[in-house]
Structure formats: C-alpha cells, structure tokens
Amino acid sequence: MIGVSRSPLSRENENNLRRILNEGLARPVGIDVWTKQHSGLVLPDRDNCEHCEEQLALMRQFVRINPLLSITPYDIDRHAARAAQIGVDMTPTTLVRCAGRSVQFVGMADGTLLRPFVDVMGYLSSGTSPLHDGPRAVLSTLTEPVEDRK
C-alpha cells in the first residue's frame, strides 16, 4: 500500500481540526480510503490517482487526532470485487461510515473541501442532518440516484 510519513496539516490546522472533531463526533466513525498504486507510467486512458498518497496521509492524520476515528486503506485493483460491490470506481475515494450510513467522497479533502468533509463526519456520527424539512421532503421524492451528466 502507499506509504507517506509527512503530515498534510500544519500544527495549527491540526489543533483546529482536533477541536472541531472533539466537538462534532459523538460515535465512532470508520474511514475507508480507496487508492491505487501509481505505476510510474503516464497513460492517457488510466487514472494515476494523483492525490491518493495525500488523501491517505490526511486521513491517517485524522485518525491520530481523534480516537473515535478508524481507517481502513484499500487498493482498488487488489480489492476490485469489493469496490464494485459498493460502487467505488474512482480514486481516491473516501468512504465515511457510521451507524449503518455512509457517504462517499471522491478526490482530495483539502482546502475549501476540508471543513465540509469534517462536517459530514460529524453529521454521520451524531445521526443528524443539516437539512430542514423542505429540502428533506424534496429529496424523499427521488426514486433513483441522481448523477451529474456533463
């Protein structure tokens, strides 16, 4: 598996994240990080998983910060059957799980996406949602998955 020893977050950002996680997490949260070994060859028809190492290192830093978090790294090629079973087809994909619910995040949870990513962990852990009754009612009418088809 991919091995990175450096910490992606600065000490100050790590301390802020520690505070947010300590306030937001109520139950244990599992983090599955789906990556792919970089072959060293650049092939136009293949995803080289440009941010796999960084995402895995970031999630490992999360786990070191808060004892309610655990991580399971997966290689999408070695665990292809499991990836297909749960709908993981891109790397890096991070699956955040708690109490029978999960959310998939594709890409690097960094920069402006870091706080929403952490908020999702808090919502899953506490069993709450940021949605009010109106949007929740609209979402309950959906009968099939919604995909962006640009």
Side-chain angles (χ1 to χ4, degrees):
M1 186 35 79
I2 300 168
V4 174
S5 59
R6 64 180 171 75
S7 296
L9 297 176
S10 68
R11 179 166 282 146
E12 179 184 352
N13 287 339
E14 183 175 304
N15 288 334
N16 289 335
L17 180 62
R18 179 178 288 108
R19 180 187 49 77
I20 293 166
L21 290 173
N22 287 342
E23 292 171 2
L25 297 181
R27 295 182 288 203
V29 174
I31 303 171
D32 300 340
V33 181
W34 289 84
T35 61
K36 176 184 219 170
Q37 282 292 100
H38 193 293
S39 68
L41 297 173
V42 176
L43 302 171
D45 63 334
R46 302 233 174 114
D47 173 22
N48 282 323
C49 198
E50 294 300 320
H51 299 289
C52 282
E53 291 183 19
E54 293 91 346
Q55 181 67 5
L56 184 56
L58 180 61
M59 294 303 104
R60 285 182 171 151
Q61 190 172 10
F62 275 41
V63 170
R64 285 192 306 269
I65 290 171
N66 192 290
L68 289 177
L69 299 174
S70 63
I71 188 170
T72 305
Y74 289 97
D75 182 283
I76 198 166
D77 293 327
R78 287 191 307 204
H79 302 97
R82 173 130 172 87
Q85 178 185 30
I86 62 173
V88 173
D89 59 1
M90 297 173 67
T91 57
T93 293
T94 304
L95 183 72
V96 181
R97 305 175 280 101
C98 184
R101 294 182 178 200
S102 64
V103 174
Q104 283 188 20
F105 180 88
V106 178
M108 180 71 186
D110 197 8
T112 59
L113 296 177
L114 183 60
R115 183 58 196 249
F117 182 84
V118 173
D119 288 345
V120 165
M121 286 195 294
Y123 294 134
L124 282 172
S125 179
S126 65
T128 61
S129 168
L131 295 179
H132 299 288
D133 291 340
R136 188 184 311 274
V138 170
L139 289 173
S140 70
T141 65
L142 295 176
T143 59
E144 58 187 61
V146 176
E147 294 183 23
D148 183 11
R149 299 188 188 259
K150 289 185 178 178

